[in-house]
Amino acid sequence: MCTSATYKTNDFYFGRTLDYEFSYGEVVAITPRNYPINFHFIGEVKNHYAMIGMAHIANDYPLYYDAVNEKGLGMAGLNFVGNAKYYDVDEDKENVAQYEFINYILSQCASVKEAKEKLKNINITATQFNDNYPLAQLHYIIADKESCIVVETMEDGMHIYDNKVGVLTNNPPFPQQMFMLNNYMGLSPKQPENTFSQNEKLDFTQYSRGMGALGLPGDLSSASRFARVAFVKMNSKSSPEENSSVSQFFHILNSVDQQRGCCEVAEGKYEITIYTSCCNCDKGIYYYTTYDNHQITAIDMHKENLDSDTLVSYPLITTENIKYQN
């Protein structure tokens, strides 16, 4: 299970959590402009936009979970189990294997507008990376500073939705997630007024701060995480400076953090927030924390040679760094 969000101050930010019961050995990967990307159907592309993101690297191929390209376009794939559907090869369309979809869009599109045009002729195929990597059942969020969309490929075809809240979790499908926000339209960051009854004998007391958000779900289901992170994101305030913006973004996603022991997926196995990411899409700086390391780590793609043909990767720092003051 996962949660993705966008945030905008002076710059545009994009990131996600990865919630799972084990790690696949993720690294922060930088794909320079001249690193050859071998697409299953269209062949090798040697010149493309550079990108940075979280990936599992297999046979020198970055299988991105989330990434941002040098033009400021971000994309992430989130679990969509039971609803995701991929297709047979269609000779009348541009066939793209499921595992390379993020690479395909970010290597060629500079904006959501360009991605929408590409998507008109894309057919996402049920093609595995190899026998050791089964198809991941995902749907996708694609965003830039101007707009955000969700892409879902299902039994009845590909659906592209405008995403006005800039949030995505997992099931149910995106339109249902948005519809369920109707249940929370009465929530507010302000203290509530008594609208329960006009009976003056009913003397209600605001016995706590934060009562305007009573009813905001706190469980770990994907529908509840969607509502909670949408509420937090849409009401977030921070100064526009980088440190404040990045800090606030992590607070937004930390509102749906998963702690070991609270979500049992099998006997003795628990889903946790393996990592949380935040990328400044304008500056190409990728920030992350991990479950056992709350210190924010930053990697700047522009400090690498983006005209190179060599893949760059940084292993995650996964042990806690505690600063002693005495």
Side-chain angles (χ1 to χ4, degrees), residues 31 35-38 56-63 103 129 310-311:
T31 303
Y35 182 77
I37 301 178
N38 188 28
H56 171 73
I57 298 177
N59 301 329
D60 295 324
Y61 190 94
L63 297 163
N103 290 7
F129 180 73
T310 304
L311 190 67

Side-chain angles (χ1 to χ4, degrees), residues 237-250:
K237 308 290 182 186
S238 66
S239 67
E241 289 78 21
E242 182 74 353
N243 283 0
S244 177
S245 299
V246 171
S247 175
Q248 186 67 11
F249 190 92
F250 277 98

Side-chain angles (χ1 to χ4, degrees), residues 6-286:
T6 63
Y7 188 58
K8 187 176 180 181
T9 55
N10 279 354
D11 290 337
F12 175 66
Y13 300 87
F14 177 88
R16 60 94 56 82
T17 65
L18 177 73
D19 306 320
Y20 211 60
E21 63 268 27
F22 61 87
S23 168
Y24 283 94
E26 301 81 24
V27 298
V28 177
I30 299 172
T31 303
R33 300 179 187 113
N34 295 307
Y35 182 77
I37 301 178
N38 188 28
F39 291 103
H40 188 85
F41 295 100
I42 65 174
E44 189 176 85
V45 175
K46 293 183 178 180
N47 186 261
H48 48 77
Y49 295 134
M51 62 192 87
I52 183 171
M54 195 70 72
H56 171 73
I57 298 177
N59 301 329
D60 295 324
Y61 190 94
L63 297 163
Y64 280 110
Y65 306 177
D66 60 274
V68 172
N69 70 18
E70 62 181 298
K71 296 297 183 179
L73 182 66
M75 184 171 178
L78 284 74
N79 275 344
F80 195 44
V81 177
N83 279 310
K85 165 73 176 178
Y86 310 115
Y87 312 112
D88 295 333
V89 171
D90 185 342
E91 299 298 342
D92 295 325
K93 290 193 172 184
E94 186 83 81
N95 292 291
V96 178
Q98 178 274 321
Y99 68 84
E100 63 190 9
F101 185 38
I102 292 178
N103 290 7
Y104 181 87
I105 292 295
L106 294 185
S107 66
Q108 301 180 61
C109 300
S111 65
V112 170
K113 183 178 179 181
E114 289 186 12
K116 279 184 168 181
E117 285 300 312
K118 278 281 185 190
L119 288 166
K120 290 178 181 178
N121 196 45
I122 284 180
N123 177 56
I124 302 180
T125 68
T127 306
Q128 294 181 210
F129 180 73
N130 61 35
D131 290 340
N132 296 321
Y133 292 83
L135 286 172
Q137 297 185 61
L138 306 175
H139 58 174
Y140 300 86
I141 181 172
I142 306 174
D144 60 24
K145 64 171 60 179
E146 303 298 333
S147 58
C148 178
I149 60 173
V150 169
V151 179
E152 296 181 339
T153 57
M154 302 174 65
E155 189 72 39
D156 60 347
M158 177 186 286
H159 304 277
I160 302 169
Y161 304 104
D162 289 326
N163 185 344
K164 295 180 180 179
V165 297
V167 169
L168 187 65
T169 57
N170 312 106
N171 286 311
F174 182 71
Q176 293 168 247
Q177 296 274 32
M178 286 297 295
F179 180 81
M180 286 191 290
L181 289 185
N182 287 302
N183 296 332
Y184 310 107
M185 70 171 72
L187 302 189
S188 170
K190 298 180 180 180
Q191 287 293 88
E193 296 180 6
N194 178 14
T195 59
F196 186 86
S197 171
Q198 298 300 312
N199 188 336
E200 296 178 358
K201 295 181 180 180
L202 290 174
D203 185 18
F204 293 127
T205 301
Q206 295 181 9
Y207 57 83
S208 171
R209 293 181 177 181
M211 293 179 67
L214 277 176
L216 185 66
D219 63 86
L220 298 176
S221 67
S222 55
S224 293
R225 284 184 286 107
F226 186 95
R228 190 158 73 258
V229 82
F231 178 81
V232 175
K233 178 247 169 114
M234 299 302 284
N235 289 287
S236 277
K237 308 290 182 186
S238 66
S239 67
E241 289 78 21
E242 182 74 353
N243 283 0
S244 177
S245 299
V246 171
S247 175
Q248 186 67 11
F249 190 92
F250 277 98
H251 281 297
I252 291 168
L253 286 182
N254 287 345
S255 70
V256 290
D257 201 40
Q258 296 209 32
Q259 299 79 26
R260 183 179 288 113
C262 294
C263 180
E264 187 174 42
V265 295
E267 183 68 33
K269 294 182 179 180
Y270 302 95
E271 187 167 274
I272 62 171
T273 299
I274 292 175
Y275 76 84
T276 303
S277 69
C278 164
C279 189
N280 182 322
C281 299
D282 296 315
K283 293 183 172 67
I285 304 173
Y286 191 92

